[in-house]
Amino acid sequence: MEVGYIPSPESGGLYPTITLAMALLYVILFMSGGAILALELLASRILTPYFGVSLYIWTGILSITLVALALGYWAGGRLATGRNIAAARLVQLFALLPALAAFAIVAACLVYPYLFPRLATLDLVAGAFFACMALLFIPLVAASAMNPLLIAILLARADGRAGDAGAGRVFFVSTLGSVAGVLVTAFGLIPYTSNFSATLAVALVLALLSLIAAVRPPMPLPARGKLGIAATAATLTAVLMLLLADSYIGRMWPANFGGRTWQMEARLSSLFGTVKILRSLPEEGGRYARLYFQDGLVQNTVASDGRSLSFYTYALESLARAYNPQARSALVLGLGAGIVPMRLASQGLAVEAVEIDPSSLAAAIRFFGFDTTRVRVHLADARTQLKRCTRGHDVVIVDLFHGDGTPDYLITRDFFGDLKRCLAPGGIAVFNTFADLERPAPYAHLLATLRAELPYIALYRPDWPGALHINSFIVAGANALPDPVDIKLDYVPPQHAESLGAMLAQPRVLDRGLLKDGEIVTDARNRAVHDIAHSQMIYRRAVVEALPAAFLVN
């Protein structure tokens, strides 16, 4: 790069001209744009265990984000307003803002593990608004204010030249930085570190930007020493918190839940969520349990001898065997700990499983005895894999959950049509779902949609007094279902045996009450989205109230 020099008013020596000075400012803008978009991506993952992924929650998060950006652009413009503001003062303010954002991020990381559970139990939508403000508001305002400040710097140095004064280039560089930040975060940070530590790493990057500007200022600054002190303090604070991140979160453990005391055994991160493996403290005889936990939901609990302690695994296995005792092949959509596909494989079935998250497969193999030589695994989206289905399966088990329920695109008529094409003649589909007994409308939409493609349905629910959100199991087929055979599983834990037997003996009739107000959902038309989102919010709040705060920090 060609560099010229101008006299320095402070030293009387020579100082780099605008070419080199502007290059450093653009680098800072690029990096800060990347850091802030990285923070937004991480924030969505941090918020999910507390507030879920419903339509209303995302509305709150996006609204706060856009308001913060708008205020930042306005504030930056106001700070730059004035006829006699020197370029050096604008540069100093520009360089200080990343340090301010870094301080705010570190403070938010100190607070949110304890604050967010309280916000979620008060009100999910309002809580998500306040949580987003705590985590993002100040950093986003500070970062977005840098854009109009840089434009003002360019104007101050333009010497009367016409044009946009570089505004187009400013937003071009900032946007490219945002793209780079998202890519680095998604493929560099999230798979290899916790969201808590990754967020602190973002704070460190921002603090270093201010420190670099203080050490190598692009032009003489009127208060360079103060900038250096602020930048150094922000850098040291971010480094210290990053080094102590595991210890800080570790103070929340052990945690009590479900009559056991739990410790974190492992954490596996991926693009699809954080998988936690929790292990209970040993009981008499050295027995313990492992809990598979992901994004705020307990997916499975397994005893130290490998036996499932979760009711739904026995319900799915029993219904599959009861309605198709001669089944030779099975497809399981959703792996979790791998208990159900392994049980079916042990009975001689040719089993395939579909799982979108590589971390789930790794956890199943490492901690729950899943054997890929006995079950063929497809790492793919369930919808995509069904479209590729080239053979008919005697049984398809659908156990798909993410966030607060099954993703919208996996409960449409189009999805169920793909599922029907993947069934062998006389094949059945067995679903694990959640029902809100106080608000039946969302479940009516599911039943109405499923019945449009698989019209023969049997519904089973355990009788758990006082439960409002309950596992609800569906057996569905394109042809009339046979009478179920009597199934006795001699390895069901005592706490589930009676409930399972009673449930299998009393299927629910699909009456008008269950189907009332149910609408068919398609990929192109989903008028039920608000009913589903409202039900998911209520469920998430109940989950957060029941779980220890340590479980939810990711």
Side-chain angles (χ1 to χ4, degrees), residues 156-482:
R157 301 294 298 267
D159 297 325
R161 289 190 296 271
D164 72 346
R169 183 183 300 171
V170 167
F171 284 97
F172 173 78
V173 171
S174 177
T175 303
L176 282 185
S178 298
V179 174
V182 169
L183 294 175
V184 170
T185 303
F187 298 105
L189 287 178
I190 288 175
Y192 304 108
T193 186
S194 70
N195 297 320
F196 187 83
S197 294
T199 303
L200 291 169
V202 172
L204 177 59
V205 168
L206 289 167
L208 287 172
L209 294 177
S210 292
L211 187 60
I212 291 169
V215 173
R216 298 285 296 177
M219 63 180 62
L221 302 178
R224 178 181 173 186
K226 293 181 179 179
L227 173 63
I229 292 173
T232 301
T235 301
L236 292 177
T237 301
V239 169
L240 182 63
M241 273 301 299
L242 194 55
L243 292 175
L244 298 177
D246 289 340
S247 298
Y248 184 74
I249 296 300
R251 295 171 56 196
M252 304 179 76
W253 298 94
N256 296 319
F257 173 70
R260 291 186 172 92
T261 302
W262 301 90
Q263 288 277 17
M264 175 86 74
E265 185 172 11
R267 181 187 63 238
L268 298 87
S269 297
S270 77
L271 297 178
F272 303 97
T274 301
V275 174
K276 293 180 181 178
I277 306 301
L278 310 180
R279 178 168 170 163
S280 68
L281 297 184
E283 301 172 351
E284 185 179 349
R287 295 186 300 273
Y288 62 88
R290 280 195 173 103
L291 192 149
Y292 181 109
F293 189 84
Q294 185 168 17
D295 279 342
L297 291 180
V298 177
Q299 303 283 357
N300 209 330
T301 308
V302 180
S304 52
D305 60 3
R307 185 173 57 167
S308 172
L309 299 177
S310 299
F311 179 87
Y312 81 90
T313 60
Y314 300 103
L316 292 174
E317 180 186 352
S318 297
L319 290 170
R321 291 176 58 182
Y323 278 90
N324 202 337
Q326 304 303 318
R328 296 183 178 181
S329 67
L331 176 66
V332 180
L333 305 180
L335 182 65
I339 299 297
V340 173
M342 285 297 291
R343 283 299 316 161
L344 296 176
S346 70
Q347 297 159 21
L349 278 71
V351 182
E352 297 180 41
V354 180
E355 174 56 54
I356 196 172
D357 190 352
S359 293
S360 292
L361 176 59
I365 294 172
R366 180 178 170 187
F367 297 102
F368 299 103
F370 185 77
D371 187 351
T372 55
T373 65
R374 301 178 64 188
V375 177
R376 182 185 178 189
V377 179
H378 304 275
L379 283 174
D381 180 79
R383 182 76 179 268
T384 303
Q385 191 61 33
L386 284 186
K387 289 184 177 295
R388 298 173 181 163
C389 193
T390 58
R391 57 172 293 189
H393 294 275
D394 297 321
V395 175
V396 174
I397 291 180
V398 183
D399 188 22
L400 297 168
F401 291 96
H402 184 265
D404 302 307
T406 304
D408 289 349
Y409 72 103
L410 298 178
I411 52 174
T412 67
R413 182 172 184 174
D414 310 74
F415 171 75
F416 295 138
D418 293 336
L419 174 58
K420 180 170 66 174
R421 288 189 292 274
C422 206
L423 289 173
I428 60 165
V430 184
F431 296 80
N432 179 24
T433 66
F434 275 116
D436 184 344
L437 301 185
E438 286 191 320
R439 297 162 188 83
Y443 208 78
H445 300 315
L446 170 64
L447 292 174
T449 304
L450 177 60
R451 197 172 65 159
E453 291 294 331
L454 298 172
Y456 298 93
I457 294 175
L459 178 64
Y460 291 84
R461 289 176 181 170
D463 183 15
W464 291 337
L468 299 178
H469 289 84
I470 193 168
N471 284 91
S472 190
F473 304 96
I474 301 172
V475 181
N479 303 309
L481 297 174

